[in-house]
Amino acid sequence: MQGAVRSFLSHGNIVKTAVLQQLRVANPCMRPAMLSRFTTSTSSANIEEHGFESTTIDDILKAKGKSADGSWLWCTTDDTVYDAVQSMTQHNVGALVVVKPAEQNSIAGIITERDYLRKIIVQGRSSKSTKVGDIMTEENKLITVTPDTKVLRAMQLMTDNRIRHIPVIDDKGMKGMVSIGDVVRAVVSEHREELNRLNAFIQGGY
C-alpha cells in the first residue's frame, strides 16, 4: 500500500501536467497565473497544497459518519490484547485508539495489527494476559493530525512514517481516526473531480 501511495503521488502530478498542456493548446491566452495555481512538485516529500487540493481530514470524518467502522473505535489501556484484537476483527479495522480508563477523550496511544504480530505473536506472549497498555504505541510517540489538516499532508505523514492509521485530535481531545485507505480514496476522488472540471473547460463546458 505504501508503495502504491508513493506511485500515486508521483503519477498524479504527471496526469495534471498533461492536462495543463492540453489547456495551453486549447487556450494559449490563458494567464500564467492561472496555470501556476496547478503546478506542483513531483516529489512526495515536498507536496504543495494548491487550489483544488483542499479536502481536509474533517471532510473524511464527516463522510465516514458516526456509525462508520473505524471512525471512533477505541479500547482502554487496561483491556487485554485479546479483547482489542477481537474488536478489530469484529469491526474489520486494523487499529484502535487507546484511551485511559474512564477518559474516552484522553488518548493514551494506539494499538495496531502490527503491534499484535510483533509484540505478541513473534515474542510468544499471551494476548489474554497482556494488557493493551503494555504493547501500544504511546501518545508521546504518535503521529497525529487535526481536523483542519489537508488530506495530502496526512498522506505525506503516513507514507514518510510508514504508518497506516493516524489519530485525529483537536484542542478538545480525540476526534477519530483515519486510515491510509480513507486518505487515498479522498485524494483519488479529489483528483478525478478536478480533472473532470479541466476536461469540461477544454471542451467548452465553462
Side-chain angles (χ1 to χ4, degrees):
M1 172 65 83
Q2 299 290 348
V5 170
R6 290 192 182 90
S7 177
F8 174 81
L9 289 171
S10 175
H11 289 83
N13 290 321
I14 294 174
V15 172
K16 285 191 291 183
T17 299
V19 173
L20 290 174
Q21 288 175 345
Q22 293 185 53
L23 278 172
R24 293 189 184 97
V25 173
N27 189 352
C29 296
M30 281 185 77
R31 293 178 300 164
M34 182 176 179
L35 293 176
S36 65
R37 176 189 176 197
F38 298 99
T39 303
T40 61
S41 168
T42 56
S43 171
S44 64
N46 295 292
I47 298 172
E48 293 181 3
E49 299 162 312
H50 288 298
F52 69 90
E53 291 154 351
S54 59
T55 300
T56 65
I57 292 298
D58 191 49
D59 294 325
I60 292 180
L61 291 179
K62 289 177 180 177
K64 286 163 72 78
K66 291 183 179 180
S67 61
D69 284 350
S71 62
W72 183 231
L73 294 173
W74 54 274
C75 61
T76 74
T77 53
D78 289 341
D79 289 336
T80 66
V81 174
Y82 179 83
D83 288 335
V85 172
Q86 269 199 324
S87 180
M88 282 189 267
T89 302
Q90 178 183 349
H91 294 93
N92 194 32
V93 297
L96 296 177
V97 171
V98 183
V99 299
K100 299 173 183 177
E103 297 182 40
Q104 186 175 338
N105 287 325
S106 181
I107 184 170
I110 186 174
I111 181 171
T112 69
E113 294 170 324
R114 187 178 298 175
D115 293 322
Y116 174 65
L117 289 172
R118 291 180 176 180
K119 301 173 184 178
I120 297 294
I121 298 299
V122 173
Q123 295 181 19
R125 299 166 70 178
S126 169
S127 62
K128 291 186 177 181
S129 61
T130 304
K131 298 291 182 66
V132 168
D134 294 333
I135 72 164
M136 70 182 185
T137 299
E138 297 180 353
E139 179 188 10
N140 59 358
K141 297 179 181 179
L142 285 180
I143 305 296
T144 64
V145 293
T146 70
D148 294 332
T149 300
K150 298 294 179 62
V151 166
L152 280 180
R153 173 58 179 163
M155 178 182 282
Q156 180 178 330
L157 285 171
M158 297 172 87
T159 53
D160 288 350
N161 291 281
R162 297 180 179 273
I163 56 177
R164 295 184 297 161
H165 303 85
I166 194 163
V168 185
I169 300 174
D170 64 9
D171 54 358
K172 295 181 181 178
M174 185 73 193
K175 296 291 291 184
M177 184 159 60
V178 296
S179 69
I180 189 68
D182 297 326
V183 171
V184 168
R185 282 190 291 272
V187 172
V188 168
S189 176
E190 195 171 67
H191 279 252
R192 183 184 298 114
E193 290 174 4
E194 181 59 22
L195 290 176
N196 286 340
R197 286 194 291 270
L198 290 173
N199 185 60
F201 180 85
I202 294 172
Q203 301 299 325
Y206 282 105

